[in-house]
Amino acid sequence: MKFLTVCSLFLWPAGAVAPLKDARLHIPKAVKRHEDAVLRCEYDMEGDRLYQIKWYKSQHEFFRFTPGEESPIKVFAVKGITVDKDRSNNRQVTLHKVEMSAEGRYACEVSADMPSFATSVIEDFLTVVEVPRRAPNLSGLQARYKIGDLLRANCTSDPSHPPANLTISINGQQVRIDTAKR
């Protein structure tokens, strides 16, 4: 038995697929865990009609807006992302109650309809922040100290992302912290 393999190659006319003018992505630099994040994609169609908007997280499509279809919004399952369809459209996508796994690189792909098929892909990074639930705990202190006494204490914070930067102050003056075990 013989198999016939057919390969097709379509070449676009020179300059037919050009980026759209003034495409911009607005992603919050950081959003707290369990809060909503609004990702906005702005673009100038330069007289062309919008064909489609696609949103990706780490190259996995999770949202598509196609105005020419009966149901213009489509949501695809991507781990850690919950899209609020009621607050998403051709200009923005709203992520509902983000989890830590929502952190990463996001891209918006804007495509014009024929005849130009102009396309722009712009991307940015979203950081999800985990804020400690309580103030840091300082333990191991004595009731009184004399001048020259060595002060040993432990300052502990609840888990956070990015990691908390802890500093200790005595009478309003930041002190050098020796983290070496003695």
Side-chain angles (χ1 to χ4, degrees):
M1 181 179 280
K2 291 186 177 184
F3 293 96
L4 177 62
T5 303
V6 178
C7 294
S8 297
L9 177 63
F10 182 79
L11 298 176
W12 294 99
V17 181
L20 296 170
K21 185 177 181 184
D22 296 326
R24 293 178 309 280
L25 188 58
H26 299 280
I27 291 183
K29 291 299 172 201
V31 63
K32 287 182 184 177
R33 181 176 177 223
H34 297 139
E35 289 189 358
D36 293 351
V38 178
L39 317 179
R40 290 183 297 131
C41 187
E42 295 178 6
Y43 48 88
D44 178 356
M45 296 303 299
E46 298 184 307
D48 286 344
R49 283 190 0 220
L50 174 66
Y51 172 65
Q52 197 168 68
I53 303 286
K54 292 181 180 180
W55 282 90
Y56 300 89
K57 181 192 181 263
S58 303
Q59 300 177 348
H60 299 284
E61 184 181 2
F62 67 90
F63 181 83
R64 183 183 302 166
F65 183 89
T66 311
E69 293 188 359
E70 188 175 319
S71 298
I73 292 177
K74 287 191 175 80
V75 176
F76 306 97
V78 171
K79 185 179 180 190
I81 295 179
T82 303
V83 174
D84 183 340
K85 287 173 71 171
D86 294 333
R87 294 173 50 209
S88 300
N89 56 40
N90 65 316
R91 296 282 179 178
Q92 72 180 34
V93 64
T94 302
L95 308 181
H96 185 62
K97 293 186 177 180
V98 297
E99 291 294 335
M100 297 306 294
S101 58
E103 181 171 283
R105 185 154 295 283
Y106 286 82
C108 173
E109 179 183 287
V110 182
S111 299
D113 210 342
M114 56 183 197
S116 77
F117 295 106
T119 300
S120 280
V121 179
I122 43 181
E123 58 182 48
D124 203 354
F125 196 87
L126 173 72
T127 299
V128 178
V129 177
E130 177 72 36
V131 178
R133 291 183 211 140
R134 296 173 284 184
N137 180 39
L138 189 59
S139 61
L141 294 174
Q142 298 177 22
R144 301 193 118 151
Y145 290 92
K146 295 182 288 184
I147 294 176
D149 282 352
L150 180 64
L151 185 146
R152 286 195 179 166
N154 182 23
C155 184
T156 306
S157 172
D158 281 349
S160 65
H161 178 78
N165 183 11
L166 302 175
T167 58
I168 296 178
S169 298
I170 299 175
N171 297 331
Q173 296 288 326
Q174 186 175 336
V175 296
R176 183 181 70 80
I177 300 173
D178 183 3
T179 57
K181 302 268 184 194
R182 294 183 184 201

